Amino acid sequence: MLIFLLPLFFLQSPTVAAPIGICYGRVADNLPRPSDVINLLTSNGISNVRVFNPVPLTLKSFSGTGINLIIGVPNEILPSLAAGSPTFSLEWLQSNIFYHIPTNQIRYLAVGNEVLSKDPYYSPFVVPAMINLYQALQTLNLANSVKLSSPQAASVLSASYPPSSGTFDPYIVSNIVPLLRFLNDTNSPFMVNVYPYLSYTSSSEYISLDYALFRSDKAVLQDGALAYGNLFDASIDAFIYAIEKEGFVGVPLVVTETGWPTSGGAEASVENALAYNENVVRRAQAGVGTPKRPGQGVEVFLFDLFDEDGKSGAEYEKHFGIFGLDGSKIYDIRFN
């Protein structure tokens, strides 16, 4: 039986619920037709979706549905966007995105994905591309409604334990600081992909499964005045501390990927995936926040809509899907 505990120090603060979405990865064979995917999303009350690439057919399938999107700008286009003019960025946006879906359904443009730590060739192009895209959005009076950011992997931190030690890898600081400055100046969120599953499996001698799955009934980590009962909160707060150390206070965070696999690795099971994702959703809905930012719900996008059998790497990477290809739930989780 799953127990969802709200520590007293959270309940004493006013809370703000956060949106919950899901990632629509497509590295797979035999995925359902886009129209069937839309029916699946709407029937389950899912109104926020992340798509990783601006595929025309995919974007068109969302048009007019009322579902809000994060749309990825691929890493490989960043050099062209960075070297071009705002006019080039405007033309790219109009032909690749805005032609296929109404702008009022776009919440964020995710400019690149995990560039700084996993695809560093593109690092110098991220912020220049974002600046040109921002100016293009200003031309269309969309800069306040369509926010720009760039999702990063948790590995951009060189230290994260305890959370107050959170520090960015010194090798990426020259690129992370301009990104943070842009986000701060444009009131945009820092986007991060957080996987406590990976932290647990790589350090299981130090991290308990209960701590990773929100099942601890008491604080596991005391960090100064703040107490942590789960690894998700500790991971988020480590980023907040790291951002503040670079001189930026109050930058919001959006978790653009998080999840737990159902098979293919240590402690990968349907039961554990449900325990993890259900608690992530409940905490966002309740606006619990984290010990460092209590009462400020963290916007999250669960990974993944379906299993992705076309992925390379470890076997577990193929098994994050919450729904089967026939539209049935692999486990019963509610999004509203």
Side-chain angles (χ1 to χ4, degrees):
M1 174 177 161
L2 295 174
I3 300 174
F4 179 60
L5 299 170
L6 297 180
L8 290 178
F9 58 82
F10 285 139
L11 296 177
Q12 292 169 349
S13 301
T15 61
V16 178
I20 301 154
I22 198 165
C23 297
Y24 180 16
R26 296 180 50 81
V27 186
D29 297 322
N30 302 317
L31 288 174
R33 295 176 302 175
S35 59
D36 292 333
V37 172
I38 297 301
N39 290 336
L40 172 65
L41 295 168
T42 55
S43 64
N44 283 278
I46 300 171
S47 57
N48 294 284
V49 173
R50 180 185 179 188
V51 295
F52 291 87
N53 293 288
V55 178
L57 182 62
T58 301
L59 296 183
K60 287 178 181 178
S61 70
F62 283 96
S63 180
T65 63
I67 295 173
N68 299 313
L69 300 180
I70 298 181
I71 300 174
V73 178
N75 294 358
E76 53 270 22
I77 192 63
L78 299 184
S80 297
L81 291 172
S85 65
T87 300
F88 174 82
S89 290
L90 177 61
E91 292 171 351
W92 187 88
L93 286 171
Q94 289 177 323
S95 61
N96 289 277
I97 296 178
F98 298 157
Y99 180 76
H100 306 297
I101 189 164
T103 58
N104 63 3
Q105 286 183 244
I106 305 170
R107 294 191 63 217
Y108 303 112
L109 295 178
V111 183
N113 186 49
E114 299 187 341
V115 168
L116 299 187
S117 61
K118 296 188 177 182
D119 214 352
Y121 168 78
Y122 296 104
S123 295
F125 306 111
V126 173
V127 173
M130 293 173 75
I131 290 171
N132 281 335
L133 289 167
Y134 181 77
Q135 292 178 359
L137 292 173
Q138 283 183 311
T139 300
L140 299 173
N141 294 318
L142 294 173
N144 291 326
S145 59
V146 178
K147 294 296 184 179
L148 297 162
S149 190
S150 184
Q152 302 302 325
S155 55
V156 296
L157 296 183
S158 60
S160 60
Y161 180 87
S164 61
S165 73
T167 307
F168 286 110
D169 185 332
Y171 291 101
I172 64 142
V173 166
S174 61
N175 289 305
I176 202 76
V177 169
L179 173 61
L180 293 172
R181 184 176 297 115
F182 175 89
L183 300 178
N184 185 70
D185 291 347
T186 60
N187 296 312
S188 301
F190 186 89
M191 292 179 168
V192 61
N193 301 333
V194 173
Y195 287 95
Y197 175 76
L198 300 181
S199 300
Y200 165 73
T201 54
S202 64
S203 304
S204 57
E205 66 271 32
Y206 306 110
I207 299 172
S208 74
L209 184 60
D210 284 345
Y211 184 57
L213 292 176
F214 300 88
R215 293 197 302 219
S216 300
D217 58 3
K218 60 182 178 180
V220 173
L221 171 63
Q222 191 71 38
D223 187 7
L226 302 181
Y228 292 86
N230 67 80
L231 184 54
F232 180 85
D233 284 354
S235 301
I236 299 303
D237 279 358
F239 272 96
I240 296 173
Y241 278 107
I243 292 169
E244 290 181 353
K245 286 175 184 174
E246 300 302 332
F248 301 94
V249 177
V251 175
L253 262 71
V254 172
V255 176
T256 38
E257 292 179 33
T258 194
W260 195 282
T262 56
S263 64
E267 301 298 345
S269 68
V270 170
E271 179 184 9
N272 288 344
L274 173 60
Y276 178 79
N277 283 330
E278 185 172 52
N279 277 289
V280 169
V281 168
R282 285 178 174 176
R283 293 170 69 85
Q285 290 172 335
V288 172
T290 67
K292 187 159 174 59
R293 289 182 177 173
Q296 299 179 39
V298 179
E299 182 174 3
V300 292
F301 287 78
L302 299 183
F303 188 88
D304 198 359
L305 188 58
F306 304 110
D307 280 356
E308 294 185 86
D309 61 4
K311 282 202 162 187
S312 58
E315 181 64 22
Y316 71 82
E317 295 189 27
K318 304 176 182 180
H319 301 288
F320 280 86
I322 295 174
F323 293 89
L325 296 180
D326 61 356
S328 62
K329 287 182 179 179
I330 295 175
Y331 48 88
D332 190 17
I333 184 170
R334 297 182 179 276
F335 289 84
N336 55 13

